[in-house]
Amino acid sequence: MSERVQGYSFMVESQLDAAARNRKPWLTPVQQVEHLKQKGVRFEKISEEDACTYLERNNNFFRIRSYRTNFEKVAEGARAGQYVNLDFKMLIDLSIIDMLLRNELLPMTLDIEHFAKVNLLREIERHGEDGYAIVEDFLAEADWVNSEGRTCNRTKDEIARGQSSAYTSGLLEKHPEHDYPVWIFMELVSFGTFLRFMKFCADRFGDKRLRDDYYVLQNVKALRNACAHNNCVLNNMIGCPARHNAQPAVTQGLESIGISLSQRRSKMKNEVFQQIATVLYAHQRWVSEGVRRNRGDSLRKFSNRMLKNWEFYKDNGQVVSGFFFILRMISGWYPDGNPVAQDDRASRGTKEKAVEEMGNCGAAGE
């Protein structure tokens, strides 16, 4: 056997061994609770029995335990490796806040997509395009020849899949041979393809602002996909380093609403917070006043829920800092009414004090 084959065989065996080591046993709710107790998770704010019921009926173990990464572990001593000040009720609370946040962000990304298309159509018209040639040129640029000499086009293939859709099949029947005007074309393609088309237009027009908007929307698309697939968002507020620098327009927008330099630097280094900030920035910048006002009302209700149990985390600077960052963006970009709640005066005063205290606690987590 050659050295190359032996090396490949060893690599495959190592990968199989690693896969075997990563396999986890299926645990019953009772075993799940016991496993968490061994990791230092407490059951003081909720009983073990209620926790078992929750794991059986409301959430799966993998998702609920993923929020534990927001908590530090004891470094040494008898409890070394166990979590610091983590109660199971906190994991439940974070999972609820995360779900509600996704429910806010997903429709916001759809709003942004809609108005981005409206804005691009306006730019195409402003540059004197007839609406057909620009689509034809974009589709032609996507042609490629495979090993059999056949011309392929993934964008056309993507559009063709809409023939089985009740929502786009009629449009395709009216425009055979891919002869689409741009306003129809935008209804047939995915958000990702729309963004590639947007970049094509920016290059065609030599439009730097449109090109910058394209990069902003890349972050919007990433978060939209995460929310649409119901991925956890707030389960890694400490790590998750950003792969790219935040767009200057977003950081300038954060500065304009009073987000400190230290918090801008800290949070924009985190991929999730960078994407959340980008969605909130893009939404308040592009959507209509009526849509923005409606979303603002909903966001303020979310802010109220986020604060409900904030004292759970007052000793966790990273979580408090993350909450405070989101609250500051909402109150800064959607300032109608009180940024926290619309309750009676006494309750509102209590929540305003909570925000102030949260800001003081969060400074340690920046």
Side-chain angles (χ1 to χ4, degrees):
M1 185 181 295
S2 69
E3 291 184 3
R4 181 177 181 181
V5 173
Q6 286 179 330
Y8 176 76
S9 178
F10 176 77
M11 181 182 69
V12 171
E13 290 177 1
S14 298
Q15 290 173 342
L16 291 173
D17 289 342
R21 289 194 299 271
N22 288 329
R23 285 189 167 226
K24 306 295 182 182
W26 188 295
L27 302 179
T28 67
V30 172
Q31 291 171 325
Q32 292 166 10
V33 167
E34 188 60 34
H35 175 79
L36 291 171
K37 287 170 61 179
Q38 293 174 6
K39 297 295 184 180
V41 179
R42 303 193 306 269
F43 292 84
E44 298 172 0
K45 300 179 185 299
I46 184 174
S47 69
E48 293 181 26
E49 292 76 12
D50 288 343
C52 287
T53 300
Y54 179 85
L55 288 166
E56 183 177 355
R57 300 179 182 178
N58 295 83
N59 211 332
N60 71 65
F61 182 57
F62 174 77
R63 289 178 69 89
I64 195 72
R65 73 190 288 268
S66 71
Y67 297 97
R68 76 197 188 286
T69 59
N70 293 313
F71 297 83
E72 295 181 353
K73 291 182 177 180
V74 178
E76 55 187 22
R79 293 190 62 237
Q82 295 187 345
Y83 290 100
V84 177
N85 190 30
L86 174 55
D87 192 279
F88 187 75
K89 186 70 173 180
M90 298 178 187
L91 299 178
I92 294 177
D93 189 58
L94 285 174
S95 71
I96 293 172
I97 291 171
D98 198 351
M99 175 195 69
L100 295 174
L101 178 60
R102 294 194 302 272
N103 290 348
E104 295 296 326
L105 292 172
L106 181 57
M108 293 179 75
T109 63
L110 298 178
D111 293 340
I112 294 167
E113 179 181 0
H114 168 76
F115 283 95
K117 289 178 178 179
V118 171
N119 292 339
L120 184 57
L121 284 173
R122 185 166 57 246
E123 287 300 306
I124 291 171
E125 180 183 12
R126 189 172 69 85
H127 282 84
E129 296 279 353
D130 65 3
Y132 286 84
I134 194 167
V135 174
E136 182 180 353
D137 292 345
F138 174 72
L139 290 174
E141 192 176 79
D143 283 344
W144 63 284
V145 179
N146 66 13
S147 59
E148 299 174 353
R150 184 169 64 89
T151 300
C152 303
N153 190 302
R154 291 190 177 92
T155 304
K156 290 180 180 179
D157 291 343
E158 174 191 322
I159 294 172
R161 288 193 287 272
Q163 292 173 345
S164 60
S165 168
Y167 309 103
T168 56
S169 58
L171 294 175
L172 291 172
E173 290 175 1
K174 294 178 181 179
H175 299 277
E177 303 302 321
H178 306 290
D179 185 31
Y180 318 113
V182 65
W183 51 91
I184 296 295
F185 172 74
M186 287 186 183
E187 300 299 317
L188 299 174
V189 297
S190 66
F191 193 17
T193 299
F194 164 73
L195 291 184
R196 288 195 292 107
F197 179 64
M198 184 179 188
K199 177 66 162 51
F200 173 85
C201 293
D203 294 340
R204 186 182 182 102
F205 304 149
D207 190 327
K208 181 182 182 302
R209 183 191 60 79
L210 193 60
R211 190 177 297 110
D212 290 343
D213 289 347
Y214 158 81
Y215 288 110
V216 168
L217 288 170
Q218 288 286 359
N219 261 347
V220 173
K221 178 176 74 74
L223 190 54
R224 188 199 72 158
N225 291 344
C227 293
H229 291 116
N230 206 30
N231 298 141
C232 298
V233 173
L234 295 178
N235 61 342
N236 199 351
M237 289 188 270
I238 296 176
C240 198
R243 291 169 292 176
H244 307 285
N245 292 332
Q247 289 301 300
V250 177
T251 55
Q252 290 165 12
L254 293 172
E255 182 181 12
S256 73
I257 58 173
I259 304 294
S260 68
L261 176 61
S262 62
Q263 197 162 56
R264 294 198 307 270
R265 286 176 173 171
S266 170
K267 295 298 178 281
M268 292 302 95
K269 290 179 181 178
N270 181 289
E271 183 96 346
V272 171
F273 283 123
Q274 184 185 119
Q275 291 178 2
I276 293 172
T278 301
V279 167
L280 292 172
Y281 162 79
H283 191 271
Q284 59 82 35
R285 173 186 164 191
W286 283 327
V287 308
S288 68
E289 180 180 353
V291 173
R292 185 167 62 248
R293 184 168 56 249
N294 180 62
R295 297 295 182 214
D297 291 341
S298 184
L299 283 168
R300 285 187 291 276
K301 291 178 182 178
F302 164 75
S303 297
N304 189 40
R305 173 58 184 87
M306 179 179 268
L307 282 172
K308 179 181 177 181
N309 297 313
W310 85 270
E311 289 190 350
F312 284 1
Y313 317 101
K314 62 183 179 181
D315 295 325
N316 187 325
Q318 291 289 352
V319 172
V320 171
S321 176
F323 279 12
F324 185 66
F325 180 62
I326 294 172
L327 291 168
R328 285 294 306 276
M329 289 191 291
I330 292 173
S331 63
W333 279 324
Y334 298 86
D336 296 342
N338 184 271
V340 185
Q342 293 290 347
D343 333 287
D344 57 88
R345 183 175 301 174
S347 177
R348 186 163 64 245
T350 300
K351 291 181 174 64
E352 288 173 343
K353 185 173 183 296
V355 173
E356 181 181 355
E357 292 179 5
M358 182 177 284
N360 295 333
C361 294
E366 293 180 4

